[in-house]
């Protein structure tokens, strides 16, 4: 199946959809049965048969089936947020006394979960830089049960060698999870490199219109049926049918949106690279990125994010630049239609450093015309420093 075939047709045209092109939103908590026998049968497979919407809802299931196909995995489970998909997948992989290895540059709230929440349950986490495989080998312990990756990572977009790491993990009976939000399922399929579970914040590219929060985990049926019975049904961080419907709609334009972003990001990057007030940019598809070769091998698309270093370390000048932008709006997150700017200085409180270089800003190009974005950057850059 091509990606378009999956997005547009897979799982649709069911007889119960009464010939509708757009699948119905099954806005119901409960489902009825005709006989005790049918009810008994359904109760034994709550993941596949609709009994109650905390378990199975047809609209949510349709989104899950599309995601499993797009990520080339056997199954998928949708959650109320990306971080719920992440924390439930982690909880399913470890128990008291176990050890986790994660990349240093992991998403902020995932790191909070490792550092502040899990230690209370006797689960510890060590970090490695993501590229040094001998460092990885040296910190694996007898109780290491999970290696957690994010490729590309936030801000620096560092890339991990998914195939080599999954081989190391498999040989030691360690599970692997990769956060694939930044690459998207059209840009990279970690399952093809041997990664066990793939997690996404659906709030970003998958939804694509800044109108929902959701998450999804994709992987083998065996792991996901355990995850369903444990974390999914017990913690109940499920996706609503309405959110699933918005995601099915968002997915229909995923390929068009991502291919548009790709061209815009390339145009904006070229403009920034030649600008005298820009010190440099970071993107894995730029030849000077430390993981460029690996990125080209693993990823088909590079997305709409690029990190930029301004040629000034004066916070007032950096703030003036960001405040002057009109097309790029100050905001966290990314993946929607709107273009965004997220400066490292916004993370500084009372001169306290965030760990990121002070002159770093993260740009997200949305669906704006690249000419408008370039004019906007050009104007803001003309106003200050130098
Ligand atoms: C946004 C994000 C998350 C968290 O997802 P939510 O949907 O906001 O809960 C996790 N990982 C990455 C890489 C993200 O960008």
């Amino acid at each position: 199946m091509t990606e378009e075939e999956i997005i547009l047709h897979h799982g649709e045209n069911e007889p119960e959809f009464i010939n509708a092109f757009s699948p119905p939103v099954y806005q119901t908590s409960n489902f009825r049965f005709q006989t005790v026998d049918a009810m008994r049968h359904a109760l034994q497979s709550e993941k596949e048969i609709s009994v109650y919407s905390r378990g199975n809802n047809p609209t949510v299931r349709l989104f899950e089936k599309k995601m499993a196909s797009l990520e080339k995995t056997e199954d998928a489970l949708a959650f109320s947020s990306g971080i719920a998909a992440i924390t439930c997948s982690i909880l399913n992989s470890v128990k008291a006394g176990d050890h986790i290895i994660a990349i240093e540059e992991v998403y902020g709230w995932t790191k909070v979960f490792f550092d502040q929440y899990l230690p209370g349950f006797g689960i510890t986490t060590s970090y490695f830089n993501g590229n040094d495989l001998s460092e990885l080998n040296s910190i694996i312990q007898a109780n290491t049960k999970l290696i957690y990756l994010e490729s590309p990572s936030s801000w620096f977009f560092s890339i991990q060698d998914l195939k080599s790491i999954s081989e190391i993990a498999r040989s030691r009976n360690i599970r692997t999870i990769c956060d694939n939000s930044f690459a998207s399922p059209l840009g990279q399929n970690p399952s093809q490199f041997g990664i066990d579970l793939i997690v996404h914040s659906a709030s970003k590219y998958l939804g694509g219109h800044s109108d929902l929060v959701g998450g999804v985990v994709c992987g083998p049926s065996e792991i996901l049926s355990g995850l369903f019975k444990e974390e999914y049904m017990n913690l109940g961080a499920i996706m609503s049918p309405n959110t699933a419907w918005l995601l099915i709609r968002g997915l229909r334009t995923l390929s068009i949106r991502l291919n548009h972003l790709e061209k815009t990001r390339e145009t904006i990057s070229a403009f920034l690279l030649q600008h005298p007030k820009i010190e440099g940019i970071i993107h894995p598809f730029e030849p000077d990125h430390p993981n460029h070769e690996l990125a080209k091998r693993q990823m088909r698309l590079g997305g709409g994010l690029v990190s930029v270093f301004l040629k000034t370390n004066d916070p007032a000048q950096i703030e003036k630049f960001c405040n002057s932008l009109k097309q790029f709006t100050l905001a966290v997150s990314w993946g929607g239609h709107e273009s965004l700017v997220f400066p490292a200085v916004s993370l500084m409180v009372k001169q306290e450093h965030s760990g990121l270089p002070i002159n770093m800003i993260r740009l997200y190009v949305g669906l704006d015309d690249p000419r408008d974005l370039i004019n906007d950057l050009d104007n803001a850059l003309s106003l200050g420093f130098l």
Side-chain angles (χ1 to χ4, degrees):
M1 265 193 286
T2 61
E3 285 162 348
E4 272 71 16
E5 172 74 13
I6 295 166
I7 287 169
L8 298 178
H9 305 298
H10 181 51
E12 303 202 33
N13 307 322
E14 300 292 330
E16 66 265 34
F17 292 1
I18 329 179
N19 299 328
F21 275 122
S22 175
V25 186
Y26 283 87
Q27 189 65 47
T28 182
S29 58
N30 217 356
F31 298 85
R32 73 167 76 87
F33 296 96
Q34 305 298 336
T35 65
V36 173
D37 196 47
M39 189 171 175
R40 185 184 297 117
H41 172 69
L43 282 167
Q44 278 160 21
S45 47
E46 273 203 67
K47 183 155 161 293
E48 302 309 329
I49 303 175
S50 299
V51 174
Y52 182 61
S53 279
R54 179 157 44 78
N56 175 309
N57 175 283
T59 315
V60 178
R61 201 65 192 132
L62 178 53
F63 168 65
E64 291 173 341
K65 290 215 166 108
K66 283 182 193 280
M67 281 307 300
S69 300
L70 285 175
E71 277 295 9
K72 304 180 170 58
T73 56
E74 287 172 352
D75 205 353
L77 276 175
F79 287 85
S80 55
S81 65
I83 203 69
I86 290 168
T87 54
C88 287
S89 301
I90 294 168
L91 285 174
N92 181 260
S93 308
V94 290
K95 56 178 171 26
D98 286 348
H99 173 248
I100 298 170
I101 295 173
I103 62 151
E104 278 154 2
E105 281 169 27
V106 76
Y107 176 73
W109 286 104
T110 311
K111 192 160 190 330
V112 169
F113 192 63
F114 288 139
D115 293 346
Q116 293 172 34
Y117 193 90
L118 289 178
F121 295 87
I123 297 156
T124 53
T125 303
S126 309
Y127 295 95
F128 82 117
N129 84 358
N131 293 132
D132 187 344
L133 298 187
S134 60
E135 183 195 5
L136 171 64
N137 268 308
S138 74
I139 59 174
I140 294 178
Q141 305 174 4
N143 61 343
T144 304
K145 290 290 156 59
L146 173 65
I147 297 176
Y148 187 93
L149 308 172
E150 189 179 305
S151 182
S153 66
S154 312
W155 294 89
F156 289 96
F157 312 118
S158 53
I159 311 291
Q160 296 107 61
D161 183 338
L162 300 180
K163 187 163 179 284
S164 302
I165 294 175
S166 73
E167 278 165 9
I168 293 171
R170 264 158 210 251
S171 72
R172 312 280 288 258
N173 238 336
I174 299 169
R175 188 183 284 181
T176 47
I177 300 179
C178 181
D179 185 333
N180 201 29
S181 304
F182 287 112
S184 92
L186 302 193
Q188 167 175 280
N189 294 122
S191 66
Q192 304 309 96
F193 302 108
I195 297 295
D196 295 313
L197 293 179
I198 296 95
V199 288
H200 282 280
S201 167
S203 327
K204 314 291 168 55
Y205 290 138
L206 304 179
H209 297 76
S210 306
D211 52 7
L212 63 89
V213 173
V216 62
V217 48
C218 305
S221 302
E222 197 194 336
I223 300 180
L224 291 198
S225 47
L227 210 160
F228 176 82
K229 285 197 202 98
E230 291 156 19
E231 291 74 20
Y232 191 85
M233 287 300 272
N234 276 313
L235 301 179
I238 58 155
M239 178 176 283
S240 80
N242 260 302
T243 301
W245 187 87
L246 282 171
L247 277 161
I248 293 163
R249 189 166 80 161
L251 280 182
R252 299 202 197 285
T253 55
L254 183 64
S255 168
I256 300 173
R257 286 187 282 111
L258 287 175
N259 283 297
H260 184 90
L261 291 182
E262 195 74 9
K263 290 201 209 83
T264 308
R265 190 207 71 241
E266 283 167 3
T267 309
I268 299 299
S269 298
F271 165 79
L272 291 167
L273 277 171
Q274 55 78 45
H275 200 285
K277 292 184 188 173
I278 298 295
E279 195 177 271
I281 70 170
I282 301 187
H283 190 278
F285 282 6
E286 292 299 326
D288 65 346
H289 190 281
N291 309 129
H292 179 65
E293 289 303 313
L294 187 55
K296 279 292 186 188
R297 223 168 44 234
Q298 278 182 182
M299 293 164 63
R300 307 187 288 276
L301 290 169
L305 288 157
V306 59
S307 288
V308 181
F309 296 104
L310 300 178
K311 235 182 225 169
T312 176
N313 281 319
D314 175 1
Q317 292 283 335
I318 296 165
E319 285 181 33
K320 183 172 170 200
F321 166 75
C322 294
N323 293 342
S324 310
L325 289 166
K326 294 195 169 68
Q327 212 81 18
F328 286 95
T329 312
L330 279 161
V332 300
S333 195
W334 47 274
H337 51 283
E338 72 290 4
S339 300
L340 305 173
V341 54
F342 186 180
V345 280
S346 69
L347 295 165
M348 260 180 60
V349 187
K350 295 195 195 111
Q351 309 298 317
E352 191 75 40
H353 221 258
S354 67
L356 294 169
I358 190 161
N359 61 338
M360 190 176 203
I361 59 173
R362 194 179 72 184
L363 294 178
Y364 168 70
V365 301
L367 300 179
D368 286 290
D369 189 310
R371 287 169 300 188
D372 293 331
L373 296 178
I374 287 180
N375 281 340
D376 194 28
L377 290 165
D378 210 19
N379 270 335
L381 284 168
S382 72
L383 298 176
F385 51 102
L386 290 193

